[in-house]
């Protein structure tokens, strides 16, 4: 496919997507307003960006960052920290903080994300199971909550945490909308559940104008190298929610005797503040970029999920290719269009923990940051690539020109 033809397909898709883009821009604007109000309410000032050291007693940058996130998420309290190492770590700390021996963790959105499998059920590695905490789940049915099985699951009074994963993870299903999450939370309460409703919020932040903690969830958790870090946070995670729950979790993040009173960061907090300030816009860029790539590939006959006709509820998108070569070509094109490591020739490899070979494009400024344009795929049938992110719409558009040229050549 030559440059003129790729440009024609892209421009046609942009025209068709104009109304959807406007909707996404309206969401970004509403979220920017929400973030600005929180910055002003908390009187953010230069001193909050200062470095701290040692125990970090009285570290205003840390404490105010917590308060800022709590306000943005409509929650009572938050833990936002470079000492939360990733989304998986945030989820782990949250669950261990809330659950005790004999309790049951009940997932109502099916199997949790891959990296939680061992956290929940690993043998002799310090998993929840090792501490006598049991796990139950009920599957979504065609992307919808199964209210009958939720009700019967909740008849077990040992259930102390109800778990919901907002994003689709690596599955061919849509992410859950806030509307669906709100209805599920209401239903769980109507069954008499008095424990904690806990949401894995990874990839979902700022995609809609409200967050799960504003729709009935007690705690929600995510990574700062995804949406909420706005592409500039260098590392970290967050946990927001009801104060009692956050206090319990803080005791687990550090130690029961010190909770959220300690924790320092020698590089200072500027990029965490700046990141959440940028996040509504950056998430919008990623969503628009994902729609554009999806629309162009749908025009060429590939299936994408969610379909480009429907509103996206997270920043990820899956594309189904016909052949192994097309799949690998797509991932390679994303790498070649990256600002970092563009010269690297990607190949599938035997990644630890995976049954089949995997190929990953991650030419990112922050290692593994999936708010930046990135893509990966297990190399097996059906040939599905998952991609997400893009700090700017222009970068997504640029990457798309490379993708179109590459997969059409094959
Ligand atoms: C990314 C992700 C995680 C894990 O986060 P890491 O930062 O990769 O550890 C958990 N759940 C969902 C839905 C995710 O998208």
């Amino acid at each position: 496919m030559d440059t003129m033809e790729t440009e024609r397909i892209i421009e046609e898709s942009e025209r068709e997507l104009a109304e959807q883009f406007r909707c996404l821009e309206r969401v970004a604007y509403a979220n920017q307003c929400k973030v600005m109000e929180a910055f002003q309410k908390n009187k953010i000032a230069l001193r909050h960006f200062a470095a701290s050291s040692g125990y970090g007693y009285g570290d205003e940058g840390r404490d105010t960052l917590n308060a800022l996130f709590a306000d943005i998420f409509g929650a009572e309290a938050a833990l936002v920290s470079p000492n939360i190492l990733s989304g998986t770590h945030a989820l782990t700390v949250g669950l261990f903080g809330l659950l005790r021996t004999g309790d049951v963790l009940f997932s109502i959105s099916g199997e949790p994300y891959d990296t939680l499998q061992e956290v929940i059920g690993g043998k002799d590695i310090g998993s929840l199971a090792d501490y006598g905490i049991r796990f139950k789940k009920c599957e979504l049915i065609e992307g919808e909550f199964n209210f009958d099985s939720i009700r019967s699951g909740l008849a077990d009074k040992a259930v102390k945490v109800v778990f919901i994963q907002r994003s689709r993870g690596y599955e061919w299903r849509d992410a859950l909308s806030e509307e669906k999450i709100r209805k599920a939370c209401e239903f769980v309460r109507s069954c008499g559940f008095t424990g904690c409703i806990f949401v894995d919020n990874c990839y979902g932040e700022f995609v809609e104008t409200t967050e799960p903690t504003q729709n009935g969830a007690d705690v929600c958790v995510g990574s700062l190298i995804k949406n909420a870090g706005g592409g500039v946070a260098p590392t970290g995670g967050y946990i927001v929610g009801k104060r009692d729950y956050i206090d319990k979790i803080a005791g687990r993040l550090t130690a029961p005797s010190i909770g959220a009173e300690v924790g320092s960061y020698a590089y200072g907090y500027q990029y965490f503040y700046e990141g959440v300030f940028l996040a509504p816009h950056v998430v919008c860029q990623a969503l628009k970029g994902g729609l554009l790539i999806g629309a162009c590939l749908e025009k060429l006959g590939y299936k994408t999920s969610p379909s480009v006709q429907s509103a996206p509820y997270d920043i990820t998108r899956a594309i189904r290719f016909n052949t192994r070569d097309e799949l690998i070509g797509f991932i390679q094109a994303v790498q070649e269009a990256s600002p970092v490591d563009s010269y690297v020739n990607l190949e599938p490899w035997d990644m630890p923990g995976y049954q089949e070979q995997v190929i990953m494009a991650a030419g990112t400024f922050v290692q593994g940051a999936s708010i930046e344009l990135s893509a990966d795929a297990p190399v097996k049938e059906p040939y599905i690539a998952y991609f997400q992110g893009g700090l700017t719409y222009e970068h997504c558009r640029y990457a798309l020109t490379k993708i179109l040229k590459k997969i059409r050549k094959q």
Side-chain angles (χ1 to χ4, degrees):
M1 190 177 287
D2 64 21
T3 308
M4 258 174 61
E5 202 184 348
T6 55
E7 197 54 38
R8 187 187 58 75
I9 292 180
I10 293 173
E11 278 178 15
E12 192 177 286
S13 299
E14 282 177 323
R15 274 193 298 279
E16 289 163 9
L17 290 168
E19 187 47 42
Q20 272 167 284
F21 282 4
R22 263 194 294 281
C23 288
L24 294 174
E25 284 156 11
R26 277 194 287 272
V27 170
Y29 183 67
N31 283 325
Q32 193 69 56
C33 294
K34 179 161 86 169
V35 167
M36 295 317 298
E37 277 158 30
F39 267 75
Q40 287 155 17
K41 177 179 168 210
N42 288 282
K43 298 194 161 62
I44 302 308
L46 276 180
R47 69 175 189 285
H48 294 124
F49 310 153
S52 61
S53 65
Y55 294 122
Y57 290 135
D59 181 341
E60 252 198 291
R62 179 199 65 214
D63 291 344
T64 311
L65 186 62
N66 290 341
L68 179 72
F69 264 68
D71 285 334
I72 292 169
F73 284 80
E76 292 171 7
L79 298 166
V80 187
S81 176
N83 299 317
I84 298 174
L85 308 180
S86 66
T88 305
H89 188 210
L91 290 157
T92 300
V93 169
L95 295 173
F96 273 94
L98 295 169
L99 290 157
R100 301 291 180 264
T101 299
D103 290 350
V104 170
L105 167 65
F106 181 30
S107 168
I108 62 170
S109 55
E111 200 68 65
Y113 195 74
D114 302 45
T115 55
L116 282 186
Q117 303 298 322
E118 286 191 303
V119 174
I120 291 167
K123 293 266 176 297
D124 234 8
I125 52 170
S127 67
L128 291 169
D130 287 340
Y131 286 89
I133 296 155
R134 285 174 299 133
F135 173 72
K136 288 199 311 198
K137 63 170 178 182
C138 68
E139 299 293 343
L140 297 169
I141 301 177
E142 292 179 10
E144 306 287 335
F145 288 105
N146 181 346
F147 290 108
D148 287 338
S149 352
I150 294 174
R151 186 188 296 107
S152 47
L154 289 173
D156 179 351
K157 293 303 163 206
V159 173
K160 292 293 154 54
V161 172
V162 165
F163 182 94
I164 300 171
Q165 180 181 306
R166 181 174 176 183
S167 160
R168 40 180 296 143
Y170 291 115
E171 282 175 54
W172 193 268
R173 70 146 165 108
D174 282 3
L176 296 163
S177 67
E178 283 306 293
E179 172 75 7
K180 283 186 188 170
I181 289 177
R182 187 176 56 74
K183 286 192 177 139
C185 291
E186 275 168 16
F187 182 78
V188 164
R189 291 300 176 210
S190 77
C191 296
F193 179 69
T194 56
C196 178
I197 303 178
F198 183 105
V199 175
D200 175 352
N201 206 27
C202 285
Y203 287 140
E205 301 91 346
F206 303 116
V207 171
E208 295 186 69
T209 54
T210 57
E211 299 295 332
T213 33
Q214 296 169 297
N215 291 311
D218 298 304
V219 170
C220 79
V221 166
S223 162
L224 296 183
I225 65 167
K226 296 182 180 175
N227 305 20
V232 296
T235 184
Y238 75 87
I239 303 169
V240 296
K242 297 244 163 75
R243 180 162 314 275
D244 288 351
Y245 292 133
I246 296 299
D247 286 346
K248 279 189 174 179
I249 294 168
R252 173 71 199 205
L253 173 64
T254 62
S257 51
I258 54 183
E261 304 290 315
V262 300
S264 64
Y265 193 53
Y267 295 102
Y269 297 97
Q270 178 188 334
Y271 293 124
F272 302 103
Y273 287 94
E274 202 169 334
V276 75
F277 165 78
L278 290 171
H281 176 72
V282 171
V283 167
C284 180
Q285 300 293 293
L287 289 170
K288 285 164 71 176
L291 270 178
L292 181 69
I293 296 174
C296 289
L297 289 171
E298 279 192 10
K299 268 193 201 302
L300 299 181
Y302 301 102
K303 280 205 167 53
T304 80
S305 169
S307 109
V308 291
Q309 273 74 42
S310 55
Y313 293 116
D314 70 12
I315 64 159
T316 73
R317 188 167 291 273
I319 306 168
R320 193 185 298 230
F321 291 99
N322 303 314
T323 66
R324 184 178 191 276
D325 284 351
E326 280 177 354
L327 176 82
I328 292 174
F330 172 79
I331 307 278
Q332 285 174 338
V334 171
Q335 184 75 28
E336 285 161 21
S338 297
V340 181
D341 289 341
S342 60
Y343 58 89
V344 171
N345 186 29
L346 289 186
E347 281 173 26
W349 65 301
D350 298 301
M351 191 170 151
Y354 287 81
Q355 303 300 316
E356 53 286 308
Q357 289 202 310
V358 177
I359 182 163
M360 294 188 164
T364 55
F365 290 96
V366 170
Q367 188 193 68
S370 44
I371 183 64
E372 299 185 47
L373 188 59
S374 49
D376 45 61
V379 183
K380 62 162 185 187
E381 281 184 277
Y383 295 111
I384 298 174
Y386 298 88
F387 78 94
Q388 60 273 314
L391 294 180
T392 70
Y393 177 74
E394 292 76 17
H395 178 222
C396 297
R397 196 184 195 282
Y398 170 82
L400 179 57
T401 62
K402 298 258 182 198
I403 292 163
L404 293 179
K405 279 185 192 140
K406 188 129 187 165
I407 59 178
R408 276 292 121 158
K409 230 182 353 209
Q410 276 149 353

